[in-house]
Amino acid sequence: MTFSTANSAVTVIVNEAAADDYLTLIRKHFPDLRVLKAKDAASLDRHMAEADVLLGPRFPVDSFDRARRLRWFQCSNAGIDSILPIRDRIGEIIITNARGVHGEIIADFVIAGITMMHWNFPRLIREQSRKEWHPRKVAPLAERTLGVVGLGSIGTAIARRGKTIGMTVIGSKRDVTRPIAGVDKLFPPNGLAELLQVSDFVVLAVPHVPETSKLIGREQLRLMRGTAFLVNIARGSVIVETELIEELRAGTISGALLDVFEREPLPAESPLWMMPNVIVTPHIAGYPSDYTARVFEIFGDNLQRFLDRKPLRNVVDLKRGY
């Protein structure tokens, strides 16, 4: 990457756990810019009035009234749900996200999880711990149907990966007027029930918007096949967790892989921890080891565009919420 800085009057605030790494990258490529670190809420509130540009994982709604100079917020996540409560007040502030960073690593995670559930690796590991030998037959994954709910950049990457291992891939999205490579059949949002009925693996990859809150509850789970598995890499709010627990206990579906939850960290008292047909992971699906560098590829390019007064990449439509 080679950048130039034509505007030394711009102040960039970095509100990130990895702020030191981002500061090093920004100062290397944009040596004339003023860059400030704000790792905690107090320092962010103190510097917010100086910010022309803000980089962070979530929008600091509590400090919004102090953001008098702010012209652009670069979210270091794909989801920008933190800003939705005040989207009507944002005015001319540009919002961009890290769309494109997460797709391939999440697809890795999903396919690994599907494989583990299909062969029942949790059971195999338990049998190994007891030194038990129980051979069994398993159908090829290529004979199974993968249903992806939400075909943005992440959902599309998951669908593409499923197709490469021979699965029948179906999916749902808001706009079904254009085909998606690797997706055998598209369903509109009101076709969710049919997708659930014919899928062996249902992957939730929808954005966090009001329309997706509690998208999957008892009614939807009971539409799924008894042999089917549910995978959630979207947001915990997409599932009614208590109803999922009840239906898993009842054997309505075979199991679930859950990387996101209504409360995070997942409370120790949650039954999900100990359920034999559930794999719990600590919200790790979308974070590759080089995450900071990947985000900076987007942010650095956008920062140069911002200085040059050119259109930015990954601009979010706040009316849609993604």
Side-chain angles (χ1 to χ4, degrees):
M1 265 189 210
T2 302
F3 300 103
S4 63
T5 54
N7 190 341
S8 59
V10 172
T11 296
V12 178
I13 306 294
V14 180
N15 175 223
E16 272 283 352
D20 293 330
D21 295 332
Y22 282 112
L23 260 67
T24 298
L25 289 166
I26 295 169
R27 287 169 175 162
K28 176 183 178 181
H29 296 289
F30 299 89
D32 298 330
L33 285 185
R34 182 171 182 245
V35 187
L36 300 176
K37 176 171 61 176
K39 277 191 172 183
D40 54 49
S43 58
L44 178 62
D45 193 61
R46 186 166 62 250
H47 291 304
M48 196 66 177
E50 306 172 71
D52 297 288
V53 177
L54 176 65
L55 169 65
R58 61 192 60 83
F59 193 86
V61 173
D62 293 341
S63 299
F64 177 68
D65 290 336
R66 295 177 56 79
R68 292 183 289 272
R69 287 178 46 173
L70 188 65
R71 289 181 280 162
W72 164 38
F73 169 60
Q74 170 71 61
C75 183
S76 55
N77 291 328
I80 50 86
D81 37 287
S82 59
I83 204 170
L84 297 183
I86 60 166
R87 58 181 161 187
D88 294 337
R89 300 171 56 200
I90 289 299
E92 299 300 315
I93 298 174
I94 301 169
I95 311 297
T96 58
N97 67 2
R99 184 173 62 249
V101 168
H102 310 79
E104 292 305 321
I105 191 82
I106 291 180
D108 288 346
F109 175 91
V110 168
I111 296 302
I114 284 175
T115 303
M116 289 182 68
M117 291 185 294
H118 186 61
W119 268 267
N120 203 344
F121 269 79
R123 178 180 167 183
L124 291 170
I125 292 169
R126 290 193 298 270
E127 290 172 353
Q128 177 185 347
S129 71
R130 298 190 296 263
K131 302 179 183 178
E132 295 176 357
W133 186 268
H134 299 297
R136 58 186 67 93
K137 296 178 181 179
V138 179
L141 272 173
E143 296 179 3
R144 297 295 182 252
T145 296
L146 172 64
V148 184
V149 183
L151 286 167
S153 60
I154 293 171
T156 300
I158 295 167
R160 183 170 60 248
R161 197 71 62 84
K163 199 63 183 174
T164 63
I165 59 176
M167 301 182 79
T168 298
V169 179
I170 62 177
S172 67
K173 68 189 303 284
R174 178 179 291 185
D175 179 6
V176 296
T177 58
R178 289 178 293 180
I180 296 177
V183 179
D184 298 295
K185 185 175 182 180
L186 278 174
F187 294 85
N190 62 9
L192 176 62
E194 185 179 353
L195 180 147
L196 294 174
Q197 290 170 337
V198 299
S199 297
D200 297 296
F201 299 91
V202 174
V203 181
L204 304 177
V206 291
H208 177 76
V209 292
E211 294 80 8
T212 62
S213 178
K214 303 184 188 305
L215 182 69
I216 303 295
R218 181 175 291 106
E219 178 183 349
Q220 291 73 31
L221 292 165
R222 290 181 177 178
L223 292 173
M224 293 173 62
R225 297 174 172 179
T227 55
F229 295 89
L230 180 69
V231 180
N232 190 12
I233 50 82
R235 284 290 190 271
S237 60
V238 174
I239 293 175
V240 183
E241 211 164 270
T242 55
E243 295 181 6
L244 173 63
I245 291 168
E246 291 170 2
E247 297 306 315
L248 284 166
R249 283 174 169 162
T252 302
I253 61 174
S254 281
L257 167 60
L258 306 172
D259 188 53
V260 288
F261 304 89
E262 289 179 342
R263 289 176 56 196
E264 295 184 5
L266 181 64
E269 63 272 16
S270 172
L272 291 169
W273 284 110
M274 303 303 294
M275 298 182 76
N277 55 347
V278 174
I279 299 174
V280 167
T281 57
H283 203 152
I284 59 170
Y287 293 97
S289 55
D290 60 347
Y291 192 79
T292 299
R294 289 174 181 241
V295 171
F296 186 75
E297 286 184 11
I298 296 171
F299 178 67
D301 181 40
N302 265 347
L303 187 52
Q304 186 63 61
R305 290 166 179 258
F306 179 80
L307 296 173
D308 294 340
R309 299 183 181 182
K310 294 181 178 178
L312 305 189
R313 294 167 54 192
N314 285 13
V315 174
V316 172
D317 181 345
L318 288 180
K319 290 182 180 179
R320 292 193 308 174
Y322 53 92

